[in-house]
């Protein structure tokens, strides 16, 4: 399993407005906006991304961070090897992401996700 990116999430009541704020200051582009979440991206290399959201999607709580991986089954097996189980999923979401949530030992909610094209 290879970690492809780690994405922090910033809680906000208005993802689009906060995205515009960061885009303006840091010369980022709004790459994706679903109303409840907006993604900002930077130049292709190196890739910078910052997300603003009101929830985690599908009615879930907003995770503290997202870790994108190329092999979700391997990540799930590694989680279970610690004696822990996911607190959500694994599930394939309507927007095409397969993911699960875990709680780390300090209680932080983490979204572990794999895109079908493994970005």
């Amino acid at each position: 399993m290879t970690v492809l990116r780690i994405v922090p999430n910033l809680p906000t009541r208005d993802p689009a407005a906060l995205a515009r704020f960061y885009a303006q200051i840091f010369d980022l582009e709004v790459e994706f906006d679903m109303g409840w979440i907006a993604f900002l991206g930077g130049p292709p290399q190196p890739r910078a991304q910052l997300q603003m959201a009101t929830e985690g999607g599908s009615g879930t709580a907003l995770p503290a961070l997202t870790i994108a991986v190329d092999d979700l089954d391997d990540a799930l097996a590694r989680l279970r090897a610690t004696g822990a189980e996911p607190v959500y999923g694994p599930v394939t979401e309507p927007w095409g992401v397969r993911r699960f949530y875990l709680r780390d030992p300090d209680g932080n909610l983490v979204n572990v996700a794999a895109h079908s094209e493994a970005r």
Side-chain angles (χ1 to χ4, degrees):
M1 184 220 22
T2 301
V3 172
L4 300 177
R5 73 177 185 244
I6 297 176
V7 179
N9 294 293
L10 297 179
T12 180
R13 289 184 302 273
D14 188 347
L18 191 58
R20 286 190 302 271
F21 171 81
Y22 278 95
Q24 181 179 352
I25 294 172
F26 298 108
D27 197 27
L28 298 170
E29 293 180 18
V30 177
E31 295 183 334
F32 193 70
D33 184 354
M34 291 181 61
W36 57 269
I37 190 167
F39 293 13
L40 291 176
Q45 294 295 332
R47 179 154 173 79
Q49 186 176 4
L50 182 61
Q51 298 178 165
M52 283 60 68
T54 58
E55 66 168 86
S58 295
T60 63
L62 184 66
L65 60 102
T66 294
I67 301 176
V69 298
D70 65 345
D71 187 336
L72 195 75
D73 293 327
D74 187 30
L76 183 58
R78 291 173 186 229
L79 172 67
R80 288 181 169 152
T82 71
E85 287 291 323
V87 295
Y88 175 77
V91 63
T92 300
E93 298 291 4
W95 54 90
V97 172
R98 186 165 174 253
R99 69 183 183 154
F100 65 84
Y101 279 11
L102 65 86
R103 285 219 180 259
D104 72 17
D106 288 321
N108 294 301
L109 190 60
V110 178
N111 177 38
V112 182
H115 295 271
S116 57
E117 64 272 4
R119 290 185 219 175

